[in-house]
Amino acid sequence: MGRPPLFVDSDCAWPFEEKIDWSRLMVRVDESDIDRLPEALADFHSRFDDQSFREIQQDCRATWERYLTPNGFATWLREFFADNVRV
């Protein structure tokens, strides 16, 4: 909703992976590396200055609004069915 998520990956699928570069927008740590979580978080944040971090936050918010809000999801679901279901 505007902040880069911290995600412990347990081999799950992310929504809209073909449209969203999640690796750019989140801190992802494999569940087997949970002890490395503080370092992964510090590494992620060290890649950004204040301005670029604000831009990532804005990208996270825009991604949430476009794909994950009820209205955004309904829009993509409607487009998916229009493109993939023939009657």
Side-chain angles (χ1 to χ4, degrees):
M1 293 178 14
R3 301 291 185 263
L6 173 59
F7 179 67
V8 177
D9 192 350
S10 59
D11 195 32
C12 70
W14 276 82
F16 304 105
E17 284 185 297
E18 69 284 351
K19 297 183 180 295
I20 300 169
D21 180 7
W22 288 110
S23 63
R24 189 178 77 77
L25 298 176
M26 76 164 74
V27 179
R28 185 184 302 205
V29 176
D30 190 87
E31 67 181 339
S32 65
D33 293 329
I34 194 77
D35 293 341
R36 215 185 128 301
L37 196 131
E39 291 86 10
L41 189 58
D43 289 346
F44 180 84
H45 283 275
S46 72
R47 293 186 289 174
F48 306 102
D49 60 20
D50 288 345
Q51 177 60 35
S52 60
F53 191 73
R54 274 192 295 279
E55 290 169 5
I56 286 292
Q57 289 178 312
Q58 291 168 345
D59 289 350
C60 286
R61 179 66 185 203
T63 299
W64 178 74
E65 289 173 348
R66 183 170 185 193
Y67 295 97
L68 303 173
T69 62
N71 285 340
F73 185 78
T75 297
W76 285 106
L77 190 62
R78 186 173 44 253
E79 289 180 18
F80 172 81
F81 282 115
D83 292 343
N84 294 290
V85 176
R86 304 289 176 228
V87 237

